[in-house]
Amino acid sequence: MMSPFLLLGIAVAAIAILLFTVIALKWPAYVSLLVVSVLTALAAGVAIQDVVPLMIEGMGGTLGSVALLVGLGAMLGGIIEKTGGAEVIAQRAAEVLGEKRLAQALLIASGLVAIPIFFDVAFIILVPIIFAFAKAAGHRAPIAIGMPVAVLMVFIHNTVPPHPGVVGSTTLLGQDLMGLVTLLGIALAIPMGVLVHVVGTKVIGSRAFSLDPEISQKYAIAGAASVCAAGSGASGGRTTGSAPSALDTAPTDGEVLTDREVPTDGEVRADGETHRRPPATLVIALILLPIVMIACGTVGTLVFPDGSSAANMLSFIGAPAFALLVATLIAMYLLGVMHGWGRQQISEVMDGALGPAAIVILVTGAGGVFAKVLTETGVGDAVSGLLLDAGVPILLLAFLVALVFKVAQGSGTVATLSAAGIIQSTVLAGDYSSLQVALIILAIGLGSLTLSHINDSGFWIATKFLGLSVADGLRTWTVLTTVLGVSAMVILSLVWLIA
């Protein structure tokens, strides 16, 4: 049996190698995690013939639920995106709340859109609407509305299933808690939405920013477009600045969205054909459907006795994978077939959504391999044990470990899975309630959000599409992610005290 300090040294070396290969050598996170897992297992004394079986076990144990949730979540998000669902939600919210509340309207809409759709895809979809709404509201730049929207969306991406990081950590620490984590994550996002709006208005709205010339010109064009009338429900003509498909488009250095003509209000163009846009109420209902189903399952386990027919039925209905499957099937028909999409087009949309999801799923699986190695070799026990002996509470420990990984290498998914792997043994061996474990999982998600900076792809997506310099990105994106991460952590700590 190795000493805890030797195992701690192995853990530090493993993390250093992981960060070096990802940051300096630019290796894919999937390859880096697998290589580091092999080296860690050998260094910690795992027999050479047991290394690969241990990796397979870690990969398989993680992918069971992750592949289901991330894959179905990506497909549901894909059909909502391609059929114009994100845009109609934003425009409908503006109609209901009025032009004077355009910022609040778009923030609410973005929160709904961010639940099933990955951050980068969802934000790129909303960029043209952000520009138009900001101009209509009288802002000098789109940042005043756009940055709070971006930060709230990435907050949801880090704390609410079916997004990969929180799904992976929940799988490692309490697979049967997916529904509870979902409900708590959404509940936490509500006050954070209010906070990011208030802080964004104070910090960002009062400042003048020097925009990239292309973005500045695009902002002027978007402001003149008829989309600006979305708050009053008027369009009546063609608009510019439509968002390209984010499944096909990713921001590269110096690249911005180009202006192109889009169909008139109530239509969306795809593959050379024009289709009717779905009503906002239908899109919102489809986003809320799996959430309601999951809530029913979670409440059912609390109300009915274990093993009863009612409890079993509600548990089945509320299983996140089943809830997403139902929502996806209904979306295919109601958003696709009922609005003029052919079977082949729908199939292509759904299959296309799995491309980006496959990368996420594999990286998540590799993170599960690393976590399994840390657990089986005792490295996770040694690290978390030493930190706990030093008096670091488990909730704060979860947050800090994820934060260190996040600041060092940028990927929220890698940070989340690595942190979950390090504390997994301590959590599973501890006498924690379901609510406490769910709070630990959310604390990891918050750590993987806080202090996001230039090594985070989200930083570049938000700053480039909003036309900010790196310095202004640090003053806005980094400040707001840190404010939300720390503030939400305070709320979790208060709940922990009474849990």
Side-chain angles (χ1 to χ4, degrees):
M1 181 68 179
M2 291 187 179
S3 72
F5 290 99
L6 181 55
L7 289 172
L8 176 61
I10 293 173
V12 171
I15 293 170
I17 294 172
L18 176 62
L19 298 178
F20 175 75
T21 54
V22 171
I23 298 172
L25 300 184
K26 306 298 182 185
W27 285 13
Y30 178 68
V31 174
S32 296
L33 283 165
L34 293 180
V35 170
V36 170
S37 297
V38 172
L39 296 177
T40 303
L42 293 174
V46 175
I48 194 169
Q49 68 272 17
D50 295 332
V51 172
V52 173
L54 184 62
M55 295 173 64
I56 294 173
E57 184 179 354
M59 178 70 77
T62 304
L63 289 185
S65 60
V66 170
L68 280 173
L69 295 181
V70 175
L72 289 170
M75 296 177 88
L76 177 60
I79 193 70
I80 290 174
E81 174 216 346
K82 292 290 188 178
T83 56
E87 291 93 332
V88 298
I89 290 178
Q91 293 176 2
R92 180 57 180 162
E95 291 173 14
V96 172
L97 295 179
E99 291 188 7
K100 293 183 178 180
R101 298 184 180 90
L102 288 175
Q104 296 94 318
L106 192 55
L107 198 64
I108 293 170
S110 66
L112 289 171
V113 170
I115 293 173
I117 306 179
F118 290 177
F119 163 72
D120 53 350
V121 177
F123 182 70
I124 294 171
I125 293 169
L126 293 179
V127 164
I129 303 171
I130 289 170
F131 280 30
F133 279 22
K135 188 74 173 182
H139 293 294
R140 291 173 293 179
I143 297 96
I145 288 181
M147 191 56 74
V149 164
V151 173
L152 178 62
M153 294 177 87
V154 81
F155 177 90
I156 292 173
H157 186 93
N158 278 269
T159 56
V160 179
H163 297 297
V166 65
V167 168
S169 60
T170 304
T171 300
L172 293 172
L173 301 181
Q175 188 165 348
D176 58 340
L177 300 178
M178 201 73 71
L180 180 59
V181 172
T182 300
L183 297 180
L184 290 176
I186 293 173
L188 191 60
I190 295 173
M192 291 303 103
V194 175
L195 178 62
V196 77
H197 173 67
V198 173
V199 175
T201 301
K202 297 289 186 181
V203 176
I204 298 175
S206 60
R207 289 178 54 88
F209 294 93
S210 177
L211 297 184
D212 178 274
E214 292 184 67
I215 295 296
S216 182
Q217 180 183 11
K218 180 178 177 59
Y219 179 54
I221 294 173
S226 58
V227 170
C228 292
S232 60
S235 182
R238 296 187 180 275
T239 64
T240 58
S242 175
S245 165
L247 294 175
D248 304 321
T249 306
T252 56
D253 281 344
E255 182 182 0
V256 296
L257 292 175
T258 57
D259 298 312
R260 60 182 176 87
E261 189 176 63
V262 301
T264 54
D265 188 35
E267 298 177 347
V268 61
R269 182 171 297 150
D271 299 327
E273 298 183 17
T274 299
H275 308 280
R276 289 180 293 116
R277 290 178 185 269
T281 51
L282 174 59
V283 181
I284 293 172
L286 287 171
I287 293 173
L288 294 179
L289 174 61
I291 298 171
V292 172
M293 293 177 65
I294 291 169
C296 289
T298 302
V299 172
T301 59
L302 301 175
V303 174
F304 298 100
D306 289 342
S308 65
S309 298
N312 291 337
M313 177 59 68
L314 288 174
S315 178
F316 172 69
I317 292 173
F322 180 72
L324 280 172
L325 177 60
V326 170
T328 301
L329 288 173
I330 294 176
M332 288 173 63
Y333 180 74
L334 294 183
L335 297 184
V337 175
M338 292 291 290
H339 288 83
W341 292 71
R343 294 186 182 89
Q344 183 62 33
Q345 287 179 311
I346 296 173
S347 177
E348 290 173 357
V349 167
M350 307 301 270
D351 289 342
L354 290 178
I359 299 174
V360 174
I361 290 170
L362 288 173
V363 171
T364 306
V369 173
F370 186 44
K372 184 67 174 178
V373 169
L374 292 174
T375 301
E376 292 298 315
T377 58
V379 171
D381 278 334
V383 173
S384 57
L386 288 172
L387 290 172
L388 288 172
D389 291 342
V392 180
I394 184 64
L395 192 70
L396 180 59
L397 173 65
F399 176 81
L400 292 177
V401 172
L403 175 60
V404 169
F405 273 99
K406 175 65 175 183
V407 171
Q409 53 79 46
S411 170
T413 301
V414 173
T416 299
L417 293 168
S418 300
I422 286 177
I423 68 169
Q424 183 183 37
S425 299
T426 301
V427 173
L428 296 182
D431 186 21
Y432 299 110
S433 67
S434 296
L435 176 58
Q436 288 175 322
V437 176
L439 293 176
I440 292 170
I441 292 168
L442 289 175
I444 292 175
L446 297 177
S448 67
L449 167 75
T450 306
L451 285 176
S452 170
H453 59 98
I454 58 175
N455 62 357
D456 184 356
S457 61
F459 175 92
W460 294 108
I461 289 173
T463 55
K464 281 186 175 294
F465 276 90
L466 294 177
L468 291 174
S469 65
V470 172
D472 283 338
L474 294 172
R475 295 187 189 102
T476 54
W477 170 272
T478 303
V479 168
L480 287 177
T481 55
T482 303
V483 168
L484 259 62
V486 173
S487 300
M489 188 62 193
V490 171
I491 294 176
L492 292 189
S493 300
L494 294 176
V495 176
W496 180 275
L497 293 176
I498 61 176

PDB file of all heavy atoms in Angstrom, residues 75-87 89 112-113 116-117 125 278 283 286-287 331 335 349-350:
ATOM      1  N   MET A  75     -29.945  16.061 -30.195  1.00  0.00           N
ATOM      2  CA  MET A  75     -30.945  15.916 -31.259  1.00  0.00           C
ATOM      3  C   MET A  75     -32.141  16.824 -31.016  1.00  0.00           C
ATOM      4  O   MET A  75     -32.658  17.460 -31.945  1.00  0.00           O
ATOM      5  CB  MET A  75     -31.389  14.454 -31.360  1.00  0.00           C
ATOM      6  CG  MET A  75     -30.266  13.513 -31.769  1.00  0.00           C
ATOM      7  SD  MET A  75     -30.780  11.781 -31.813  1.00  0.00           S
ATOM      8  CE  MET A  75     -31.394  11.680 -33.487  1.00  0.00           C
ATOM      9  N   LEU A  76     -32.590  16.915 -29.763  1.00  0.00           N
ATOM     10  CA  LEU A  76     -33.687  17.822 -29.442  1.00  0.00           C
ATOM     11  C   LEU A  76     -33.268  19.265 -29.714  1.00  0.00           C
ATOM     12  O   LEU A  76     -34.032  20.046 -30.310  1.00  0.00           O
ATOM     13  CB  LEU A  76     -34.097  17.657 -27.974  1.00  0.00           C
ATOM     14  CG  LEU A  76     -35.196  18.600 -27.464  1.00  0.00           C
ATOM     15  CD1 LEU A  76     -36.479  18.417 -28.266  1.00  0.00           C
ATOM     16  CD2 LEU A  76     -35.446  18.363 -25.972  1.00  0.00           C
ATOM     17  N   GLY A  77     -32.062  19.617 -29.303  1.00  0.00           N
ATOM     18  CA  GLY A  77     -31.561  20.955 -29.580  1.00  0.00           C
ATOM     19  C   GLY A  77     -31.416  21.225 -31.060  1.00  0.00           C
ATOM     20  O   GLY A  77     -31.690  22.330 -31.541  1.00  0.00           O
ATOM     21  N   GLY A  78     -30.995  20.204 -31.823  1.00  0.00           N
ATOM     22  CA  GLY A  78     -30.817  20.366 -33.255  1.00  0.00           C
ATOM     23  C   GLY A  78     -32.113  20.672 -33.979  1.00  0.00           C
ATOM     24  O   GLY A  78     -32.167  21.561 -34.830  1.00  0.00           O
ATOM     25  N   ILE A  79     -33.186  19.966 -33.627  1.00  0.00           N
ATOM     26  CA  ILE A  79     -34.455  20.205 -34.317  1.00  0.00           C
ATOM     27  C   ILE A  79     -35.047  21.550 -33.906  1.00  0.00           C
ATOM     28  O   ILE A  79     -35.658  22.253 -34.716  1.00  0.00           O
ATOM     29  CB  ILE A  79     -35.455  19.046 -34.045  1.00  0.00           C
ATOM     30  CG1 ILE A  79     -36.643  19.116 -34.998  1.00  0.00           C
ATOM     31  CG2 ILE A  79     -35.922  19.040 -32.618  1.00  0.00           C
ATOM     32  CD1 ILE A  79     -36.320  18.772 -36.429  1.00  0.00           C
ATOM     33  N   ILE A  80     -34.839  21.958 -32.647  1.00  0.00           N
ATOM     34  CA  ILE A  80     -35.308  23.276 -32.213  1.00  0.00           C
ATOM     35  C   ILE A  80     -34.553  24.376 -32.943  1.00  0.00           C
ATOM     36  O   ILE A  80     -35.137  25.381 -33.384  1.00  0.00           O
ATOM     37  CB  ILE A  80     -35.147  23.423 -30.683  1.00  0.00           C
ATOM     38  CG1 ILE A  80     -36.151  22.522 -29.959  1.00  0.00           C
ATOM     39  CG2 ILE A  80     -35.335  24.884 -30.255  1.00  0.00           C
ATOM     40  CD1 ILE A  80     -35.964  22.488 -28.461  1.00  0.00           C
ATOM     41  N   GLU A  81     -33.247  24.185 -33.105  1.00  0.00           N
ATOM     42  CA  GLU A  81     -32.431  25.191 -33.800  1.00  0.00           C
ATOM     43  C   GLU A  81     -32.819  25.310 -35.267  1.00  0.00           C
ATOM     44  O   GLU A  81     -33.109  26.398 -35.769  1.00  0.00           O
ATOM     45  CB  GLU A  81     -30.955  24.835 -33.695  1.00  0.00           C
ATOM     46  CG  GLU A  81     -30.070  25.758 -34.503  1.00  0.00           C
ATOM     47  CD  GLU A  81     -28.881  25.048 -35.126  1.00  0.00           C
ATOM     48  OE1 GLU A  81     -28.582  23.907 -34.737  1.00  0.00           O
ATOM     49  OE2 GLU A  81     -28.275  25.636 -36.031  1.00  0.00           O
ATOM     50  N   LYS A  82     -32.833  24.181 -35.966  1.00  0.00           N
ATOM     51  CA  LYS A  82     -33.011  24.199 -37.417  1.00  0.00           C
ATOM     52  C   LYS A  82     -34.394  24.689 -37.840  1.00  0.00           C
ATOM     53  O   LYS A  82     -34.557  25.254 -38.918  1.00  0.00           O
ATOM     54  CB  LYS A  82     -32.770  22.798 -37.991  1.00  0.00           C
ATOM     55  CG  LYS A  82     -31.332  22.310 -37.892  1.00  0.00           C
ATOM     56  CD  LYS A  82     -30.407  23.073 -38.811  1.00  0.00           C
ATOM     57  CE  LYS A  82     -29.024  22.446 -38.855  1.00  0.00           C
ATOM     58  NZ  LYS A  82     -28.123  23.147 -39.786  1.00  0.00           N
ATOM     59  N   THR A  83     -35.401  24.456 -37.009  1.00  0.00           N
ATOM     60  CA  THR A  83     -36.749  24.880 -37.359  1.00  0.00           C
ATOM     61  C   THR A  83     -37.044  26.317 -36.958  1.00  0.00           C
ATOM     62  O   THR A  83     -38.169  26.799 -37.137  1.00  0.00           O
ATOM     63  CB  THR A  83     -37.799  23.954 -36.704  1.00  0.00           C
ATOM     64  OG1 THR A  83     -37.589  23.945 -35.282  1.00  0.00           O
ATOM     65  CG2 THR A  83     -37.692  22.541 -37.247  1.00  0.00           C
ATOM     66  N   GLY A  84     -36.043  27.014 -36.418  1.00  0.00           N
ATOM     67  CA  GLY A  84     -36.222  28.411 -36.041  1.00  0.00           C
ATOM     68  C   GLY A  84     -36.845  28.599 -34.673  1.00  0.00           C
ATOM     69  O   GLY A  84     -37.309  29.699 -34.340  1.00  0.00           O
ATOM     70  N   GLY A  85     -36.852  27.551 -33.845  1.00  0.00           N
ATOM     71  CA  GLY A  85     -37.491  27.634 -32.546  1.00  0.00           C
ATOM     72  C   GLY A  85     -36.862  28.648 -31.611  1.00  0.00           C
ATOM     73  O   GLY A  85     -37.564  29.324 -30.852  1.00  0.00           O
ATOM     74  N   ALA A  86     -35.532  28.769 -31.648  1.00  0.00           N
ATOM     75  CA  ALA A  86     -34.857  29.712 -30.752  1.00  0.00           C
ATOM     76  C   ALA A  86     -35.268  31.144 -31.058  1.00  0.00           C
ATOM     77  O   ALA A  86     -35.522  31.954 -30.150  1.00  0.00           O
ATOM     78  CB  ALA A  86     -33.336  29.556 -30.890  1.00  0.00           C
ATOM     79  N   GLU A  87     -35.330  31.467 -32.340  1.00  0.00           N
ATOM     80  CA  GLU A  87     -35.681  32.829 -32.722  1.00  0.00           C
ATOM     81  C   GLU A  87     -37.118  33.187 -32.318  1.00  0.00           C
ATOM     82  O   GLU A  87     -37.371  34.285 -31.807  1.00  0.00           O
ATOM     83  CB  GLU A  87     -35.523  33.017 -34.241  1.00  0.00           C
ATOM     84  CG  GLU A  87     -34.084  32.973 -34.729  1.00  0.00           C
ATOM     85  CD  GLU A  87     -33.668  31.579 -35.155  1.00  0.00           C
ATOM     86  OE1 GLU A  87     -34.231  30.602 -34.621  1.00  0.00           O
ATOM     87  OE2 GLU A  87     -32.781  31.464 -36.010  1.00  0.00           O
ATOM     88  N   ILE A  89     -38.884  31.994 -29.888  1.00  0.00           N
ATOM     89  CA  ILE A  89     -38.988  32.168 -28.436  1.00  0.00           C
ATOM     90  C   ILE A  89     -38.551  33.576 -28.054  1.00  0.00           C
ATOM     91  O   ILE A  89     -39.215  34.269 -27.272  1.00  0.00           O
ATOM     92  CB  ILE A  89     -38.129  31.130 -27.691  1.00  0.00           C
ATOM     93  CG1 ILE A  89     -38.727  29.732 -27.834  1.00  0.00           C
ATOM     94  CG2 ILE A  89     -38.031  31.486 -26.214  1.00  0.00           C
ATOM     95  CD1 ILE A  89     -37.906  28.667 -27.163  1.00  0.00           C
ATOM     96  N   LEU A 112     -34.295  29.466 -21.479  1.00  0.00           N
ATOM     97  CA  LEU A 112     -35.060  28.320 -21.965  1.00  0.00           C
ATOM     98  C   LEU A 112     -34.316  27.589 -23.077  1.00  0.00           C
ATOM     99  O   LEU A 112     -34.246  26.358 -23.101  1.00  0.00           O
ATOM    100  CB  LEU A 112     -36.432  28.781 -22.463  1.00  0.00           C
ATOM    101  CG  LEU A 112     -37.436  29.234 -21.398  1.00  0.00           C
ATOM    102  CD1 LEU A 112     -38.659  29.854 -22.048  1.00  0.00           C
ATOM    103  CD2 LEU A 112     -37.837  28.059 -20.514  1.00  0.00           C
ATOM    104  N   VAL A 113     -33.769  28.354 -24.011  1.00  0.00           N
ATOM    105  CA  VAL A 113     -33.055  27.753 -25.143  1.00  0.00           C
ATOM    106  C   VAL A 113     -31.830  26.987 -24.663  1.00  0.00           C
ATOM    107  O   VAL A 113     -31.466  25.945 -25.219  1.00  0.00           O
ATOM    108  CB  VAL A 113     -32.648  28.853 -26.148  1.00  0.00           C
ATOM    109  CG1 VAL A 113     -31.700  28.294 -27.206  1.00  0.00           C
ATOM    110  CG2 VAL A 113     -33.879  29.441 -26.815  1.00  0.00           C
ATOM    111  N   PRO A 116     -31.843  22.677 -23.461  1.00  0.00           N
ATOM    112  CA  PRO A 116     -31.575  21.513 -24.299  1.00  0.00           C
ATOM    113  C   PRO A 116     -30.428  21.690 -25.292  1.00  0.00           C
ATOM    114  O   PRO A 116     -29.957  20.711 -25.868  1.00  0.00           O
ATOM    115  CB  PRO A 116     -32.900  21.332 -25.054  1.00  0.00           C
ATOM    116  CG  PRO A 116     -33.393  22.734 -25.245  1.00  0.00           C
ATOM    117  CD  PRO A 116     -32.944  23.506 -24.033  1.00  0.00           C
ATOM    118  N   ILE A 117     -29.981  22.928 -25.533  1.00  0.00           N
ATOM    119  CA  ILE A 117     -29.009  23.185 -26.599  1.00  0.00           C
ATOM    120  C   ILE A 117     -27.660  23.568 -25.991  1.00  0.00           C
ATOM    121  O   ILE A 117     -27.599  24.372 -25.061  1.00  0.00           O
ATOM    122  CB  ILE A 117     -29.490  24.313 -27.535  1.00  0.00           C
ATOM    123  CG1 ILE A 117     -30.893  24.000 -28.077  1.00  0.00           C
ATOM    124  CG2 ILE A 117     -28.519  24.500 -28.697  1.00  0.00           C
ATOM    125  CD1 ILE A 117     -31.459  25.060 -28.989  1.00  0.00           C
ATOM    126  N   ILE A 125     -26.981  31.006 -32.348  1.00  0.00           N
ATOM    127  CA  ILE A 125     -28.330  31.159 -32.881  1.00  0.00           C
ATOM    128  C   ILE A 125     -28.902  32.527 -32.523  1.00  0.00           C
ATOM    129  O   ILE A 125     -29.561  33.186 -33.337  1.00  0.00           O
ATOM    130  CB  ILE A 125     -29.257  30.061 -32.313  1.00  0.00           C
ATOM    131  CG1 ILE A 125     -28.848  28.679 -32.828  1.00  0.00           C
ATOM    132  CG2 ILE A 125     -30.715  30.328 -32.678  1.00  0.00           C
ATOM    133  CD1 ILE A 125     -29.549  27.546 -32.103  1.00  0.00           C
ATOM    134  N   PRO A 278     -42.356  27.267 -36.207  1.00  0.00           N
ATOM    135  CA  PRO A 278     -43.325  26.809 -35.205  1.00  0.00           C
ATOM    136  C   PRO A 278     -43.697  27.950 -34.265  1.00  0.00           C
ATOM    137  O   PRO A 278     -42.921  28.894 -34.090  1.00  0.00           O
ATOM    138  CB  PRO A 278     -42.550  25.717 -34.465  1.00  0.00           C
ATOM    139  CG  PRO A 278     -41.115  26.128 -34.596  1.00  0.00           C
ATOM    140  CD  PRO A 278     -40.997  26.758 -35.967  1.00  0.00           C
ATOM    141  N   VAL A 283     -42.701  25.523 -28.940  1.00  0.00           N
ATOM    142  CA  VAL A 283     -41.285  25.296 -28.660  1.00  0.00           C
ATOM    143  C   VAL A 283     -41.034  25.289 -27.154  1.00  0.00           C
ATOM    144  O   VAL A 283     -40.323  24.430 -26.622  1.00  0.00           O
ATOM    145  CB  VAL A 283     -40.411  26.369 -29.339  1.00  0.00           C
ATOM    146  CG1 VAL A 283     -38.928  26.106 -29.055  1.00  0.00           C
ATOM    147  CG2 VAL A 283     -40.657  26.379 -30.846  1.00  0.00           C
ATOM    148  N   LEU A 286     -42.226  22.095 -25.608  1.00  0.00           N
ATOM    149  CA  LEU A 286     -41.340  20.960 -25.872  1.00  0.00           C
ATOM    150  C   LEU A 286     -40.091  21.018 -25.001  1.00  0.00           C
ATOM    151  O   LEU A 286     -39.561  19.983 -24.592  1.00  0.00           O
ATOM    152  CB  LEU A 286     -40.955  20.944 -27.352  1.00  0.00           C
ATOM    153  CG  LEU A 286     -42.070  20.507 -28.306  1.00  0.00           C
ATOM    154  CD1 LEU A 286     -41.661  20.741 -29.754  1.00  0.00           C
ATOM    155  CD2 LEU A 286     -42.420  19.041 -28.082  1.00  0.00           C
ATOM    156  N   ILE A 287     -39.605  22.224 -24.710  1.00  0.00           N
ATOM    157  CA  ILE A 287     -38.448  22.354 -23.815  1.00  0.00           C
ATOM    158  C   ILE A 287     -38.835  21.986 -22.387  1.00  0.00           C
ATOM    159  O   ILE A 287     -38.081  21.330 -21.661  1.00  0.00           O
ATOM    160  CB  ILE A 287     -37.888  23.793 -23.871  1.00  0.00           C
ATOM    161  CG1 ILE A 287     -37.281  24.069 -25.257  1.00  0.00           C
ATOM    162  CG2 ILE A 287     -36.841  24.011 -22.783  1.00  0.00           C
ATOM    163  CD1 ILE A 287     -36.849  25.508 -25.457  1.00  0.00           C
ATOM    164  N   ALA A 331     -40.978  16.339 -30.841  1.00  0.00           N
ATOM    165  CA  ALA A 331     -40.422  17.477 -31.577  1.00  0.00           C
ATOM    166  C   ALA A 331     -40.238  17.146 -33.048  1.00  0.00           C
ATOM    167  O   ALA A 331     -40.462  17.998 -33.919  1.00  0.00           O
ATOM    168  CB  ALA A 331     -39.092  17.893 -30.955  1.00  0.00           C
ATOM    169  N   LEU A 335     -42.531  19.878 -34.639  1.00  0.00           N
ATOM    170  CA  LEU A 335     -41.700  20.945 -35.205  1.00  0.00           C
ATOM    171  C   LEU A 335     -41.327  20.661 -36.651  1.00  0.00           C
ATOM    172  O   LEU A 335     -41.147  21.584 -37.447  1.00  0.00           O
ATOM    173  CB  LEU A 335     -40.417  21.122 -34.384  1.00  0.00           C
ATOM    174  CG  LEU A 335     -40.564  21.570 -32.935  1.00  0.00           C
ATOM    175  CD1 LEU A 335     -39.189  21.790 -32.316  1.00  0.00           C
ATOM    176  CD2 LEU A 335     -41.401  22.829 -32.819  1.00  0.00           C
ATOM    177  N   VAL A 349     -31.234  16.412 -40.114  1.00  0.00           N
ATOM    178  CA  VAL A 349     -31.066  17.337 -38.997  1.00  0.00           C
ATOM    179  C   VAL A 349     -30.673  16.581 -37.729  1.00  0.00           C
ATOM    180  O   VAL A 349     -29.738  16.954 -37.012  1.00  0.00           O
ATOM    181  CB  VAL A 349     -32.354  18.148 -38.762  1.00  0.00           C
ATOM    182  CG1 VAL A 349     -32.298  18.884 -37.417  1.00  0.00           C
ATOM    183  CG2 VAL A 349     -32.565  19.144 -39.888  1.00  0.00           C
ATOM    184  N   MET A 350     -31.393  15.500 -37.458  1.00  0.00           N
ATOM    185  CA  MET A 350     -31.135  14.746 -36.237  1.00  0.00           C
ATOM    186  C   MET A 350     -29.772  14.064 -36.278  1.00  0.00           C
ATOM    187  O   MET A 350     -29.033  14.070 -35.292  1.00  0.00           O
ATOM    188  CB  MET A 350     -32.233  13.700 -36.031  1.00  0.00           C
ATOM    189  CG  MET A 350     -33.648  14.263 -36.066  1.00  0.00           C
ATOM    190  SD  MET A 350     -33.932  15.517 -34.812  1.00  0.00           S
ATOM    191  CE  MET A 350     -34.500  14.519 -33.463  1.00  0.00           C
TER     192      MET A 350
END
